[in-house]
Amino acid sequence: MNLTKYERRPSREVRIGRVVIGGDRPIAVQSMTNTDTKDTEACIRQIERIFRAGGPIVRLTAQGRREGENLERIVRRLREEGCDAAVVADIHFVPEVAAIAAKYVDKVRINPGNYNSSHGEFEALIDRCRERGVAIRIGVNHGSLSKRVFDEWGDTPEGMVASAMEFLRVCREKAFDQVVVSMKSSNTRVMVAAYRLLAEAMEREGMDYPLHLGVTEAGNGIEGRIKSAVGIGALLADGIGDTIRVSLTEAPENEIPVAQLLVDHFARRSGVFSVKYPERYTPTRYSRRTRVQTPLIHSELPADWRMIEALTENPTAELRAAILS
């Protein structure tokens, strides 16, 4: 990571329908429907609204077989109506639904926490996706790590990275490179730490898969926008991220302009920056900064500052009473 110059993390290109992310491509924005995936008409209308708002990638939930099979109708109708949105199936719990969805959509998002690594289900999904040129997103969730990973690592960013890397190694072994990774959490501190640790782990093993950024259930209104900007913006400032979603509890099309605002800000960012104490920066470890000597002499400090300093060094009852008053 270059502290003195903004530059994006190198990543390979991944095709999602007619959209290509990674490499030198602009950061892509996306959203997710909140309609029932069994309701074909409602899904189509919402996808088209997201697409018109500027979201070229749209994700739909597929909880079970019926939702998975109905993706065929949704995609077919979209293409008949001239909508080129890349369609992504979000597989919540049942691995077999991913194989169904892969017959129809442009990308399948799976949660490693729902797979048994010894049963060969993920390997079979890779084979199915390879047949149609379907991308896979390995979407790790902070709150749903597998029992095996949780028992070893706990509910930690390190555990999230271990889960992702296990599945990425399978992709590499099978020479399947149309892979995207995400490390979602509603806790922005956990989310940022997990992505930074993952970027380092991937670099150590020579992997350059693109990363999808997002804060889980950020909320609505100004709170949801600020929470997303804090988490996503911190990583974009590091040069991490190839596609993003701002997750708001509002109409999905409202997410697009917020995400695009973040993308546009960093697209304009360039130049060299001054870093006064680079040795103090630890991107994957939280620590308090070292004490900095100020140029002010003690007598020039305002009275309340001198009181706070005295309270810190000699916390007597009298000083506590004075400062609280």
Side-chain angles (χ1 to χ4, degrees):
M1 188 179 297
N2 191 336
L3 296 182
T4 62
K5 183 181 179 182
Y6 174 71
E7 53 190 8
R8 285 179 60 188
R9 166 187 166 269
S11 63
R12 68 175 61 241
E13 290 188 351
V14 169
R15 177 171 292 278
I16 308 166
R18 296 195 177 186
V19 181
V20 180
I21 66 169
D24 295 326
R25 306 281 179 156
I27 297 170
V29 301
Q30 57 181 275
S31 184
M32 183 174 182
T33 62
N34 57 17
T35 47
D36 184 345
T37 306
K38 297 189 297 295
D39 188 337
T40 304
E41 192 65 27
C43 289
I44 290 170
R45 299 284 82 84
Q46 195 169 75
I47 291 170
E48 289 177 340
R49 288 196 297 273
I50 294 169
F51 188 68
R52 286 196 299 269
I57 306 171
V58 184
R59 183 159 44 109
L60 298 89
T61 183
Q63 301 99 319
R65 294 183 64 91
R66 291 177 62 192
E67 289 85 357
E69 291 291 356
N70 199 49
L71 290 168
E72 188 274 334
R73 299 183 188 88
I74 293 170
V75 173
R76 175 165 45 81
R77 286 277 307 280
L78 284 170
R79 303 307 180 233
E80 289 172 353
E81 296 185 15
C83 179
D84 291 331
V87 178
V88 182
D90 191 346
I91 311 304
H92 280 244
F93 308 111
V94 187
E96 66 178 286
V97 178
I100 295 171
K103 295 187 294 183
Y104 312 120
V105 299
D106 302 304
K107 183 173 76 172
V108 174
R109 178 263 172 184
I110 60 100
N111 181 354
N114 296 331
Y115 280 76
N116 187 318
S117 58
S118 63
H119 288 179
E121 294 166 323
F122 184 58
E123 289 84 348
L125 177 63
I126 290 175
D127 292 338
R128 174 64 61 86
C129 289
R130 196 195 307 270
E131 292 172 5
R132 290 190 58 245
V134 175
I136 295 177
R137 168 149 68 96
I138 297 171
V140 180
N141 278 343
H142 178 220
S144 59
L145 299 176
S146 68
K147 184 179 184 303
R148 178 174 50 80
V149 172
F150 183 86
D151 288 345
E152 181 175 356
W153 296 94
D155 194 11
T156 63
E158 290 79 6
M160 296 172 69
V161 172
S163 180
M165 291 300 294
E166 178 182 350
F167 279 68
L168 287 175
R169 292 183 190 113
V170 174
C171 293
R172 184 170 60 185
E173 288 168 7
K174 291 185 68 66
F176 183 78
D177 63 1
Q178 294 301 287
V179 183
V180 185
V181 196
S182 64
M183 311 287 277
K184 294 292 193 73
S185 174
S186 59
N187 182 318
T188 55
R189 180 168 171 174
V190 169
M191 170 256 194
V192 169
Y195 276 105
R196 286 174 172 169
L197 287 167
L198 176 66
E200 286 192 351
M202 290 171 62
E203 185 176 0
R204 283 195 300 271
E205 299 197 22
M207 297 178 179
D208 58 356
Y209 304 111
L211 298 176
H212 166 70
L213 308 184
V215 179
T216 303
E217 298 175 349
N220 59 13
I222 190 65
E223 179 181 351
R225 286 157 172 79
I226 290 174
K227 188 174 182 180
S228 289
V230 167
I232 297 171
L235 292 165
L236 291 178
D238 289 346
I240 294 173
D242 301 281
T243 173
I244 69 173
R245 179 200 170 195
V246 173
S247 181
L248 302 176
T249 50
E250 302 177 15
E253 56 267 32
N254 291 353
E255 298 176 351
I256 301 303
V258 184
Q260 194 62 54
L261 190 67
L262 286 169
V263 169
D264 291 344
H265 171 77
F266 288 98
R268 294 191 299 267
R269 193 174 192 192
S270 62
V272 177
F273 311 104
S274 171
V275 180
K276 193 170 184 180
Y277 301 107
E279 70 280 1
R280 294 176 182 163
Y281 183 72
T282 53
T284 55
R285 179 172 56 85
Y286 288 96
S287 59
R288 296 185 65 180
R289 68 173 186 162
T290 54
R291 190 168 182 175
V292 179
Q293 185 69 37
T294 63
L296 291 173
I297 60 175
H298 187 268
S299 60
E300 293 176 343
L301 289 172
D304 54 344
W305 286 19
R306 293 201 300 273
M307 188 180 298
I308 291 171
E309 183 182 70
L311 177 63
T312 303
E313 297 179 358
N314 183 25
T316 63
E318 292 82 2
L319 281 169
R320 279 200 177 93
I323 201 71
L324 290 173
S325 64

